[in-house]
Amino acid sequence: MPLKVGQKVVALMEGGEIFQELKAVKVQVLPDNIDDLEPSYLETRVMKAYVTAVSANTVYIDEEIYFSLDIVSEDFMPYKGDWVEVEYSCLPGPYNIKVHSAKPLFCKHLEEVCITSLYGRNGVIDNSIFFTLDSLKIPDGYSPQKYDIVDVVIVGSIQSCYIWRAMSMNPVPN
C-alpha cells in the first residue's frame, strides 16, 4: 500500500549507529484515531516489571508507564513491589505506550501453611511470605491470628526481606 505524506505509521527500523544509516524494514499504517486501537491491530510486546506505586484506580510500574486497574487480570489487586507481566504496544510519539493487560508474573497456591508472626496490620506466613491486611482478601469475619493454619495464594513481590506476598488467605478448619 502506498504511503501518503503526513500519514501516521509505526516502523521497525534497522541500520547503523547514526541516523542517516537507518532504514525501515517494516511499516504499519495507523488509523487516524490511535487512542481507540484494539490490541490486535498493533504489534504487542510483553514487559516484566514491578509495581512502584498504586494510587486510586492507577498502577505505576515506573514514572512514565502506568495503567488502570480495569485491565488487571481478575482476582489480582496489585500492591507496591509486586512483579507483573504487562502486555503493551508502542504508539507513535515519545513515551507513548498503550497497556492492554497486566497479571502477576509469579503466582502460587499453598495449602496448610502457618502464620508465624503478626505486627499490627502486617504479618508473615512460614517465616517467608509477607502479608498486609491492606491488600489481603480474607473471608468475612475472619481475622488472622498467629499460628493459624491457612491456604494462601501468593505472588512474587519485593517486600523488605521477602520475595512473596500473600494476596488471599483462607483458614483451614480444625
Side-chain angles (χ1 to χ4, degrees), residues 4 9 12 15-16 18 33-34 40 48 51 59 79 105 109 114 116 118 126 140 153 155 158-160 165 167 171:
K4 300 175 193 160
V9 298
L12 175 61
I18 61 173
N33 189 357
I34 60 173
S40 59
K48 295 170 180 144
V51 175
V59 178
Y79 188 77
L105 181 59
H109 181 254
C114 181
T116 50
L118 281 172
D126 272 359
D140 289 338
V153 175
V155 293
I158 301 167
Q159 301 296 329
S160 183
R165 178 183 69 86
M167 63 178 218

Side-chain angles (χ1 to χ4, degrees), residues 105-124:
L105 181 59
F106 308 106
C107 187
K108 294 197 291 188
H109 181 254
L110 302 176
E111 295 182 355
E112 298 190 8
V113 291
C114 181
I115 297 175
T116 50
S117 60
L118 281 172
Y119 308 100
R121 298 191 56 76
N122 300 330
V124 178

Side-chain angles (χ1 to χ4, degrees), residues 30-85:
L30 295 174
D32 293 333
N33 189 357
I34 60 173
D35 291 333
D36 296 332
L37 288 178
E38 294 296 320
S40 59
Y41 186 83
L42 297 170
E43 181 180 335
T44 58
R45 300 174 184 177
V46 174
M47 171 189 326
K48 295 170 180 144
Y50 68 91
V51 175
T52 57
V54 179
S55 167
N57 194 33
T58 306
V59 178
Y60 297 85
I61 54 176
D62 73 20
E63 294 169 358
E64 297 166 349
I65 302 174
Y66 53 90
F67 50 88
S68 168
L69 281 173
D70 296 341
I71 66 159
V72 174
S73 65
E74 194 174 315
D75 295 332
F76 175 55
M77 175 59 75
Y79 188 77
K80 183 178 178 179
D82 288 355
W83 283 100
V84 291
E85 182 176 287

